[in-house]
Amino acid sequence: MSEKIVERRTAEGRVLKANNLKTRVIAVEQRIAHPLYGRVIRRTAKFVAHDELNDSNVGDLVRIEECRPMSRTKRWRLIEIMERNAEQE
């Protein structure tokens, strides 16, 4: 039987909240051109992600990946911490 390879969506963003155990709120910024005026607009989306090792802190730049629903709001999993927040250390 052949295995089905699933290409999951990934995103990069900053950790906004790290209050709960193994749960992080990530802000993903998207820059798009306005359809009529052409000016670049910043759009921000918040995602709730699962951090299994409880390793990330507020301000860290992280990569997240879409996964199965883990709770009512958690549908993303933290893959890696790309850059640590310099103020925390």
Coordinates of all heavy atoms in Angstrom, one line a residue:
M1 N 0.8 -1.2 0.0 CA 0.0 0.0 0.0 C 0.9 1.2 0.0 O 1.9 1.3 0.7 CB -0.9 0.0 1.2 CG -2.0 0.9 1.2 SD -3.1 0.5 2.5 CE -4.2 1.8 2.4
S2 N 0.6 2.2 -0.8 CA 1.4 3.4 -0.9 C 1.1 4.4 0.2 O -0.1 4.5 0.6 CB 1.2 4.1 -2.3 OG -0.1 4.5 -2.4
E3 N 2.1 5.0 0.7 CA 1.9 6.0 1.8 C 1.5 7.3 1.1 O 2.1 7.7 0.1 CB 3.2 6.2 2.6 CG 3.4 5.0 3.5 CD 4.6 5.3 4.4 OE1 4.8 6.5 4.8 OE2 5.3 4.3 4.8
K4 N 0.6 8.0 1.8 CA 0.2 9.3 1.3 C 1.1 10.4 2.0 O 1.1 10.5 3.2 CB -1.2 9.6 1.7 CG -1.9 10.7 1.0 CD -3.4 10.8 1.3 CE -4.1 11.7 0.5 NZ -5.5 11.8 0.8
I5 N 1.8 11.2 1.2 CA 2.6 12.2 1.7 C 1.8 13.5 1.7 O 1.3 14.0 0.7 CB 3.9 12.4 0.8 CG1 4.7 11.1 0.9 CG2 4.7 13.6 1.3 CD1 5.9 11.1 0.0
V6 N 1.7 14.1 2.9 CA 0.9 15.3 3.1 C 1.8 16.5 3.2 O 2.7 16.5 4.0 CB 0.0 15.2 4.4 CG1 -0.8 16.4 4.6 CG2 -0.9 14.0 4.3
E7 N 1.6 17.5 2.4 CA 2.3 18.7 2.4 C 1.6 19.7 3.3 O 0.5 20.2 3.0 CB 2.5 19.3 1.0 CG 3.4 20.5 0.9 CD 4.9 20.1 1.2 OE1 5.3 19.0 0.8 OE2 5.6 21.0 1.7
R8 N 2.1 19.9 4.5 CA 1.4 20.8 5.5 C 1.9 22.2 5.4 O 3.0 22.5 5.0 CB 1.7 20.3 6.9 CG 1.2 18.9 7.1 CD 1.3 18.5 8.6 NE 0.5 17.3 8.8 CZ 1.0 16.3 9.5 NH1 2.3 16.3 9.9 NH2 0.3 15.2 9.7
R9 N 0.9 23.1 5.7 CA 1.2 24.5 5.7 C 2.2 24.9 6.8 O 2.0 24.4 7.9 CB 0.0 25.4 5.8 CG -1.0 25.3 4.6 CD -2.0 26.4 4.7 NE -2.8 26.3 5.9 CZ -3.6 27.3 6.3 NH1 -3.8 28.3 5.5 NH2 -4.3 27.2 7.4
T10 N 3.1 25.8 6.5 CA 4.0 26.3 7.6 C 3.9 27.8 7.6 O 3.6 28.4 6.6 CB 5.5 25.8 7.3 OG1 5.9 26.3 6.1 CG2 5.6 24.3 7.4
A11 N 4.3 28.4 8.7 CA 4.3 29.8 8.8 C 5.4 30.2 9.8 O 5.8 29.4 10.6 CB 3.0 30.3 9.3
E12 N 5.9 31.5 9.7 CA 6.8 32.0 10.6 C 6.2 33.2 11.3 O 5.6 34.0 10.7 CB 8.1 32.5 9.9 CG 8.9 31.3 9.3 CD 10.0 31.8 8.5 OE1 10.3 33.0 8.5 OE2 10.7 31.0 7.8
G13 N 6.5 33.3 12.6 CA 5.9 34.4 13.4 C 6.6 34.6 14.7 O 7.5 33.8 15.1
R14 N 6.1 35.6 15.5 CA 6.6 35.9 16.8 C 5.7 35.4 17.9 O 4.5 35.5 17.7 CB 6.8 37.4 17.0 CG 7.9 38.0 16.1 CD 9.0 38.6 16.8 NE 10.1 39.0 15.9 CZ 11.3 38.6 16.0 NH1 11.7 37.8 17.0 NH2 12.2 38.9 15.1
V15 N 6.2 34.9 19.0 CA 5.4 34.5 20.1 C 4.9 35.7 20.8 O 5.7 36.6 21.3 CB 6.3 33.6 21.1 CG1 5.5 33.2 22.3 CG2 6.8 32.4 20.3
L16 N 3.6 35.8 21.0 CA 2.9 36.9 21.7 C 2.7 36.5 23.2 O 2.9 37.4 24.0 CB 1.6 37.2 21.1 CG 1.6 37.9 19.7 CD1 0.1 38.2 19.3 CD2 2.3 39.2 19.7
K17 N 2.2 35.3 23.4 CA 1.9 34.9 24.7 C 2.5 33.5 25.0 O 2.5 32.6 24.2 CB 0.4 34.7 24.9 CG -0.4 36.0 25.1 CD -1.9 35.6 25.3 CE -2.7 36.8 25.6 NZ -4.1 36.4 25.9
A18 N 3.0 33.4 26.2 CA 3.5 32.1 26.7 C 3.1 31.8 28.1 O 3.8 31.4 28.9 CB 5.1 32.1 26.6
N19 N 1.8 32.0 28.4 CA 1.3 31.9 29.7 C 1.0 30.5 30.1 O 1.2 30.1 31.3 CB 0.0 32.8 29.9 CG 0.3 34.2 29.7 OD1 1.5 34.7 29.8 ND2 -0.7 35.0 29.5
N20 N 0.4 29.7 29.2 CA 0.0 28.3 29.5 C 1.1 27.3 29.2 O 1.9 27.6 28.4 CB -1.3 28.0 28.7 CG -2.4 29.0 29.1 OD1 -2.5 29.5 30.2 ND2 -3.3 29.2 28.1
L21 N 1.0 26.2 29.9 CA 1.9 25.1 29.6 C 1.7 24.5 28.2 O 0.6 24.2 27.9 CB 1.8 24.0 30.7 CG 2.3 24.3 32.1 CD1 1.9 23.1 33.0 CD2 3.8 24.5 32.1
K22 N 2.8 24.4 27.5 CA 2.8 23.8 26.2 C 1.9 24.5 25.1 O 1.6 23.9 24.1 CB 2.5 22.3 26.2 CG 3.5 21.5 27.1 CD 3.2 20.1 27.0 CE 4.3 19.3 27.8 NZ 4.1 17.9 27.6
T23 N 1.5 25.7 25.4 CA 0.7 26.5 24.5 C 1.2 27.8 24.2 O 1.6 28.5 25.2 CB -0.8 26.6 25.0 OG1 -1.3 25.3 25.2 CG2 -1.7 27.3 24.0
R24 N 1.3 28.2 23.0 CA 1.9 29.6 22.6 C 0.9 30.2 21.6 O 0.3 29.6 20.8 CB 3.2 29.4 21.9 CG 4.3 28.7 22.8 CD 4.7 29.6 24.0 NE 5.7 29.0 24.8 CZ 5.4 28.3 25.9 NH1 4.2 28.2 26.3 NH2 6.4 27.8 26.6
V25 N 0.8 31.5 21.7 CA 0.0 32.3 20.7 C 1.1 33.0 19.8 O 2.0 33.7 20.3 CB -0.9 33.4 21.4 CG1 -1.6 34.2 20.4 CG2 -1.9 32.7 22.3
I26 N 1.0 32.7 18.5 CA 1.9 33.2 17.5 C 1.3 34.2 16.6 O 0.2 34.0 16.2 CB 2.4 32.0 16.7 CG1 2.8 30.8 17.5 CG2 3.6 32.5 15.8 CD1 4.0 30.9 18.4
A27 N 1.9 35.4 16.4 CA 1.5 36.4 15.5 C 2.2 36.2 14.2 O 3.4 36.3 14.1 CB 1.7 37.8 16.1
V28 N 1.5 36.0 13.1 CA 2.1 35.8 11.8 C 1.7 37.0 11.0 O 0.5 37.3 10.8 CB 1.6 34.5 11.1 CG1 2.1 34.4 9.7 CG2 2.0 33.3 11.9
E29 N 2.7 37.8 10.5 CA 2.5 39.0 9.7 C 2.6 38.7 8.2 O 3.5 38.0 7.8 CB 3.6 40.0 10.1 CG 3.3 41.4 9.5 CD 4.3 42.4 10.0 OE1 4.2 42.9 11.1 OE2 5.2 42.6 9.2
Q30 N 1.6 39.2 7.5 CA 1.6 39.0 6.1 C 1.6 40.4 5.4 O 0.8 41.3 5.8 CB 0.3 38.3 5.8 CG 0.1 37.8 4.4 CD -1.2 37.1 4.2 OE1 -2.2 37.4 4.8 NE2 -1.2 36.1 3.3
R31 N 2.4 40.6 4.4 CA 2.5 41.8 3.7 C 1.9 41.6 2.3 O 2.4 40.8 1.5 CB 3.9 42.4 3.6 CG 4.4 42.8 4.9 CD 5.9 43.1 4.7 NE 6.4 43.7 6.0 CZ 7.0 44.8 6.1 NH1 7.2 45.6 5.1 NH2 7.4 45.3 7.3
I32 N 0.8 42.4 2.0 CA 0.2 42.2 0.7 C 0.0 43.6 0.1 O -0.1 44.6 0.8 CB -1.2 41.5 0.8 CG1 -2.1 42.3 1.8 CG2 -1.1 40.1 1.3 CD1 -3.6 41.9 1.6
A33 N -0.1 43.6 -1.2 CA -0.4 44.9 -1.9 C -1.9 45.1 -2.0 O -2.6 44.2 -2.2 CB 0.2 44.8 -3.3
H34 N -2.3 46.3 -1.7 CA -3.7 46.7 -1.8 C -4.2 46.5 -3.2 O -3.5 46.9 -4.2 CB -3.9 48.2 -1.4 CG -5.3 48.5 -1.3 ND1 -6.1 48.9 -2.3 CD2 -6.1 48.6 -0.2 CE1 -7.3 49.2 -1.9 NE2 -7.4 49.0 -0.6
P35 N -5.3 45.8 -3.4 CA -5.7 45.5 -4.8 C -5.9 46.7 -5.7 O -5.7 46.6 -6.9 CB -7.0 44.7 -4.6 CG -7.4 44.8 -3.2 CD -6.2 45.3 -2.4
L36 N -6.4 47.8 -5.2 CA -6.6 49.0 -6.0 C -5.5 50.0 -6.0 O -5.0 50.4 -7.1 CB -7.9 49.7 -5.6 CG -8.3 50.9 -6.3 CD1 -8.6 50.6 -7.8 CD2 -9.6 51.5 -5.7
Y37 N -5.0 50.3 -4.8 CA -4.0 51.4 -4.7 C -2.5 50.9 -4.7 O -1.6 51.7 -4.9 CB -4.3 52.1 -3.4 CG -5.6 52.7 -3.4 CD1 -6.6 52.3 -2.4 CD2 -6.0 53.7 -4.3 CE1 -7.9 52.8 -2.4 CE2 -7.3 54.2 -4.3 CZ -8.2 53.8 -3.4 OH -9.5 54.3 -3.4
G38 N -2.3 49.6 -4.5 CA -0.9 49.1 -4.7 C -0.1 49.3 -3.4 O 1.1 48.8 -3.4
R39 N -0.5 50.0 -2.4 CA 0.3 50.2 -1.2 C 0.4 48.9 -0.5 O -0.6 48.1 -0.4 CB -0.4 51.3 -0.4 CG 0.3 51.6 0.9 CD -0.5 52.5 1.8 NE 0.1 52.4 3.1 CZ 0.4 53.5 3.8 NH1 0.2 54.7 3.4 NH2 1.0 53.3 5.0
V40 N 1.5 48.7 0.2 CA 1.8 47.5 0.9 C 1.1 47.6 2.3 O 1.3 48.6 3.0 CB 3.3 47.2 1.1 CG1 3.5 46.0 2.0 CG2 3.9 47.0 -0.2
I41 N 0.3 46.6 2.6 CA -0.5 46.6 3.9 C 0.0 45.4 4.7 O 0.3 44.3 4.2 CB -2.0 46.4 3.6 CG1 -2.5 47.5 2.6 CG2 -2.8 46.4 4.9 CD1 -3.9 47.2 2.2
R42 N 0.1 45.6 6.0 CA 0.5 44.6 6.9 C -0.8 44.0 7.5 O -1.6 44.7 8.1 CB 1.4 45.1 8.0 CG 2.7 45.5 7.5 CD 3.7 45.9 8.6 NE 3.0 46.5 9.8 CZ 3.6 46.9 10.9 NH1 4.9 46.7 11.0 NH2 3.0 47.5 11.8
R43 N -0.9 42.7 7.4 CA -2.0 41.9 8.0 C -1.4 41.0 9.0 O -0.5 40.3 8.7 CB -2.8 41.1 7.0 CG -3.5 42.0 5.9 CD -5.0 42.0 6.2 NE -5.7 43.0 5.5 CZ -6.3 42.8 4.3 NH1 -6.3 41.6 3.8 NH2 -6.9 43.8 3.7
T44 N -2.0 40.9 10.2 CA -1.5 40.0 11.3 C -2.6 39.0 11.6 O -3.8 39.4 11.8 CB -1.2 40.8 12.5 OG1 -0.2 41.8 12.1 CG2 -0.6 39.9 13.6
A45 N -2.2 37.8 11.7 CA -3.1 36.7 12.1 C -2.5 36.0 13.3 O -1.3 35.9 13.4 CB -3.3 35.7 11.0
K46 N -3.4 35.6 14.3 CA -2.9 35.0 15.5 C -3.2 33.5 15.4 O -4.4 33.1 15.0 CB -3.6 35.6 16.7 CG -3.1 36.9 17.1 CD -3.7 37.2 18.5 CE -3.8 38.7 18.7 NZ -4.5 39.0 19.9
F47 N -2.3 32.6 15.7 CA -2.5 31.2 15.7 C -2.1 30.7 17.1 O -1.1 31.1 17.7 CB -1.6 30.5 14.7 CG -2.0 30.9 13.3 CD1 -1.2 31.7 12.5 CD2 -3.2 30.4 12.7 CE1 -1.5 32.1 11.2 CE2 -3.5 30.8 11.4 CZ -2.7 31.6 10.7
V48 N -2.8 29.7 17.6 CA -2.5 29.0 18.9 C -1.7 27.8 18.5 O -2.2 26.9 17.7 CB -3.7 28.7 19.7 CG1 -3.4 28.0 21.0 CG2 -4.5 30.0 19.9
A49 N -0.5 27.6 19.0 CA 0.4 26.5 18.6 C 0.8 25.7 19.9 O 0.8 26.2 21.0 CB 1.6 27.0 17.9
H50 N 1.1 24.4 19.6 CA 1.5 23.5 20.6 C 3.0 23.4 20.7 O 3.7 23.2 19.7 CB 1.0 22.1 20.3 CG 1.3 21.0 21.4 ND1 0.7 21.0 22.6 CD2 2.2 20.0 21.3 CE1 1.2 20.0 23.3 NE2 2.1 19.4 22.5
D51 N 3.6 23.7 21.9 CA 5.0 23.6 22.1 C 5.3 22.5 23.0 O 5.2 22.7 24.3 CB 5.5 25.0 22.6 CG 7.0 25.0 22.8 OD1 7.7 24.1 22.4 OD2 7.5 26.0 23.4
E52 N 5.6 21.3 22.5 CA 5.8 20.1 23.3 C 6.9 20.3 24.4 O 6.7 19.8 25.5 CB 6.1 18.9 22.4 CG 6.2 17.6 23.1 CD 4.9 17.2 23.8 OE1 3.9 17.4 23.3 OE2 5.0 16.7 25.0
L53 N 8.0 20.9 24.1 CA 9.1 21.0 25.0 C 9.0 22.2 25.9 O 9.8 22.4 26.8 CB 10.4 21.1 24.3 CG 10.7 19.9 23.4 CD1 12.0 20.2 22.6 CD2 10.8 18.6 24.2
N54 N 8.0 23.1 25.7 CA 7.7 24.3 26.5 C 9.0 25.2 26.5 O 9.4 25.7 27.6 CB 7.3 23.8 28.0 CG 6.4 24.8 28.6 OD1 5.6 25.4 27.9 ND2 6.4 24.9 29.9
D55 N 9.6 25.3 25.4 CA 10.9 25.9 25.3 C 10.9 27.4 24.8 O 11.8 28.1 25.1 CB 11.7 25.1 24.3 CG 13.2 25.4 24.4 OD1 13.7 25.8 25.5 OD2 13.9 25.1 23.4
S56 N 9.9 27.8 24.1 CA 9.9 29.1 23.5 C 9.4 30.2 24.5 O 8.6 29.8 25.5 CB 9.0 29.2 22.3 OG 7.7 28.8 22.6
N57 N 9.8 31.4 24.3 CA 9.4 32.5 25.2 C 8.8 33.7 24.3 O 8.9 33.7 23.1 CB 10.5 33.0 26.0 CG 11.0 32.1 27.0 OD1 10.2 31.5 27.8 ND2 12.3 31.8 27.1
V58 N 8.2 34.7 25.0 CA 7.6 35.8 24.3 C 8.7 36.5 23.5 O 9.8 36.8 24.0 CB 7.0 36.8 25.3 CG1 6.5 38.0 24.6 CG2 5.9 36.1 26.0
G59 N 8.4 36.8 22.3 CA 9.4 37.6 21.4 C 10.2 36.7 20.5 O 10.9 37.2 19.6
D60 N 10.2 35.4 20.7 CA 11.0 34.5 19.9 C 10.4 34.4 18.5 O 9.2 34.4 18.3 CB 11.1 33.1 20.5 CG 11.9 33.0 21.8 OD1 12.5 34.0 22.1 OD2 11.8 32.0 22.4
L61 N 11.2 34.3 17.5 CA 10.8 34.0 16.1 C 10.8 32.5 15.9 O 11.8 31.8 16.1 CB 11.8 34.7 15.1 CG 11.4 34.5 13.7 CD1 10.1 35.3 13.4 CD2 12.5 35.0 12.8
V62 N 9.6 32.0 15.6 CA 9.4 30.5 15.5 C 8.8 30.1 14.2 O 8.2 31.0 13.5 CB 8.5 30.0 16.6 CG1 9.2 30.2 18.0 CG2 7.1 30.7 16.6
R63 N 8.9 28.9 13.8 CA 8.3 28.3 12.6 C 7.2 27.3 13.2 O 7.5 26.5 14.0 CB 9.3 27.6 11.7 CG 8.6 26.9 10.5 CD 9.6 26.3 9.6 NE 10.2 27.4 8.8 CZ 11.5 27.5 8.7 NH1 12.3 26.7 9.2 NH2 12.0 28.5 8.0
I64 N 6.0 27.4 12.6 CA 4.9 26.5 13.0 C 4.4 25.8 11.8 O 4.5 26.2 10.7 CB 3.8 27.3 13.8 CG1 3.2 28.4 12.9 CG2 4.2 27.8 15.1 CD1 2.0 29.1 13.5
E65 N 3.7 24.6 12.1 CA 3.2 23.8 11.1 C 1.8 23.4 11.4 O 1.5 23.1 12.6 CB 4.1 22.5 11.0 CG 3.6 21.5 10.0 CD 4.5 20.3 10.0 OE1 4.5 19.6 11.0 OE2 5.2 20.0 9.0
E66 N 0.9 23.3 10.4 CA -0.4 22.9 10.6 C -0.5 21.4 11.0 O 0.3 20.6 10.5 CB -1.2 23.2 9.4 CG -2.7 23.2 9.6 CD -3.4 23.7 8.4 OE1 -3.0 23.5 7.2 OE2 -4.5 24.3 8.5
C67 N -1.4 21.1 11.9 CA -1.5 19.7 12.3 C -3.0 19.4 12.7 O -3.8 20.2 12.5 CB -0.6 19.4 13.5 SG -1.0 20.3 15.0
R68 N -3.2 18.2 13.2 CA -4.5 17.8 13.6 C -5.0 18.7 14.8 O -4.2 19.2 15.5 CB -4.5 16.3 14.1 CG -3.7 16.1 15.3 CD -3.8 14.6 15.7 NE -2.9 14.4 16.9 CZ -3.2 14.7 18.1 NH1 -4.4 15.2 18.4 NH2 -2.4 14.4 19.1
P69 N -6.3 18.8 15.0 CA -6.8 19.6 16.1 C -6.3 19.0 17.5 O -6.6 17.8 17.7 CB -8.3 19.5 16.0 CG -8.5 19.2 14.6 CD -7.4 18.4 14.1
M70 N -5.7 19.8 18.3 CA -5.2 19.3 19.6 C -6.2 19.7 20.7 O -6.2 19.2 21.8 CB -3.8 19.8 19.9 CG -2.8 19.2 18.9 SD -1.2 19.6 19.5 CE -0.3 18.5 18.4
S71 N -6.9 20.8 20.5 CA -7.9 21.3 21.4 C -8.9 22.1 20.6 O -8.9 22.1 19.4 CB -7.3 22.1 22.5 OG -6.8 23.3 22.0
R72 N -9.7 22.9 21.3 CA -10.7 23.7 20.6 C -10.1 24.7 19.7 O -10.6 25.0 18.6 CB -11.6 24.4 21.7 CG -12.7 25.2 21.1 CD -13.5 25.7 22.2 NE -14.2 27.0 21.8 CZ -14.8 27.8 22.6 NH1 -14.8 27.5 23.9 NH2 -15.4 28.9 22.2
T73 N -8.9 25.3 20.1 CA -8.3 26.3 19.3 C -6.9 26.0 18.7 O -6.4 26.6 17.8 CB -8.1 27.6 20.1 OG1 -7.4 27.3 21.3 CG2 -9.4 28.2 20.5
K74 N -6.3 24.9 19.3 CA -4.9 24.6 18.8 C -5.0 23.7 17.6 O -5.4 22.5 17.7 CB -4.2 23.8 19.9 CG -3.5 24.7 20.9 CD -2.3 24.1 21.6 CE -2.7 23.1 22.7 NZ -1.6 22.7 23.5
R75 N -4.5 24.2 16.4 CA -4.4 23.4 15.2 C -3.0 23.6 14.6 O -2.8 23.2 13.4 CB -5.4 23.9 14.2 CG -6.8 23.2 14.3 CD -7.8 24.2 14.9 NE -9.1 23.6 14.9 CZ -9.7 23.1 15.9 NH1 -9.1 23.0 17.0 NH2 -10.9 22.6 15.8
W76 N -2.0 24.1 15.3 CA -0.7 24.3 14.8 C 0.3 23.7 15.8 O 0.0 23.6 17.0 CB -0.4 25.8 14.6 CG -1.2 26.4 13.5 CD1 -2.5 26.8 13.6 CD2 -0.8 26.6 12.2 NE1 -2.9 27.3 12.4 CE2 -1.9 27.2 11.5 CE3 0.4 26.4 11.5 CZ2 -1.8 27.5 10.2 CZ3 0.5 26.8 10.1 CH2 -0.7 27.3 9.5
R77 N 1.5 23.3 15.3 CA 2.5 22.7 16.2 C 3.8 23.5 15.9 O 4.2 23.8 14.8 CB 2.7 21.3 15.8 CG 3.8 20.5 16.5 CD 4.0 19.1 16.0 NE 2.8 18.3 16.3 CZ 2.1 17.6 15.5 NH1 2.5 17.5 14.2 NH2 1.1 16.9 15.8
L78 N 4.5 23.8 17.0 CA 5.8 24.5 16.9 C 6.9 23.6 16.4 O 7.1 22.5 17.0 CB 6.2 25.1 18.2 CG 7.3 26.1 18.2 CD1 6.9 27.3 19.0 CD2 8.6 25.5 18.7
I79 N 7.6 23.9 15.3 CA 8.6 23.1 14.7 C 10.0 23.4 15.2 O 10.7 22.6 15.7 CB 8.6 23.2 13.2 CG1 7.3 22.8 12.6 CG2 9.7 22.3 12.6 CD1 7.2 23.0 11.1
E80 N 10.3 24.7 15.2 CA 11.6 25.2 15.6 C 11.6 26.6 16.0 O 10.8 27.4 15.6 CB 12.7 25.0 14.5 CG 12.4 25.9 13.3 CD 13.5 25.8 12.3 OE1 14.7 25.8 12.7 OE2 13.2 25.8 11.1
I81 N 12.6 26.9 16.9 CA 12.8 28.3 17.3 C 13.9 28.8 16.4 O 15.1 28.4 16.5 CB 13.2 28.4 18.8 CG1 12.0 27.8 19.6 CG2 13.5 29.8 19.2 CD1 12.4 27.6 21.1
M82 N 13.6 29.8 15.6 CA 14.6 30.3 14.6 C 15.5 31.4 15.2 O 16.7 31.5 14.9 CB 13.9 30.8 13.4 CG 13.1 29.7 12.7 SD 11.9 30.3 11.5 CE 12.8 31.5 10.6
E83 N 14.9 32.2 16.1 CA 15.7 33.3 16.7 C 15.1 33.5 18.1 O 13.9 33.7 18.3 CB 15.6 34.5 15.9 CG 16.2 35.7 16.4 CD 16.0 36.9 15.5 OE1 16.2 36.8 14.2 OE2 15.5 37.9 16.0
R84 N 16.0 33.6 19.1 CA 15.6 33.9 20.5 C 15.5 35.4 20.7 O 16.2 36.2 20.0 CB 16.7 33.3 21.4 CG 16.8 31.8 21.4 CD 15.9 31.2 22.5 NE 16.1 29.8 22.5 CZ 15.2 29.0 23.1 NH1 14.2 29.5 23.6 NH2 15.4 27.7 23.1
N85 N 14.6 35.7 21.6 CA 14.5 37.1 21.9 C 15.7 37.6 22.8 O 16.0 37.0 23.8 CB 13.2 37.3 22.7 CG 12.9 38.8 23.0 OD1 13.6 39.7 22.6 ND2 11.9 39.0 23.8
A86 N 16.4 38.6 22.4 CA 17.6 39.0 23.0 C 17.3 39.6 24.4 O 18.1 39.5 25.3 CB 18.3 40.1 22.2
E87 N 16.1 40.2 24.6 CA 15.8 40.8 25.9 C 15.6 39.8 27.0 O 15.8 40.1 28.2 CB 14.5 41.7 25.7 CG 14.7 42.8 24.8 CD 13.4 43.5 24.5 OE1 12.4 43.2 25.2 OE2 13.4 44.4 23.6
Q88 N 15.2 38.6 26.7 CA 14.9 37.6 27.7 C 16.1 37.0 28.3 O 16.1 36.5 29.4 CB 14.1 36.4 27.0 CG 12.7 36.8 26.6 CD 11.7 36.9 27.8 OE1 12.0 36.3 28.8 NE2 10.6 37.6 27.6
E89 N 17.2 36.9 27.5 CA 18.4 36.2 28.0 C 19.2 37.0 29.0 O 19.2 38.2 29.2 CB 19.3 35.9 26.8 CG 18.6 34.8 25.9 CD 19.3 34.6 24.7 OE1 20.4 35.2 24.4 OE2 18.9 33.7 23.9

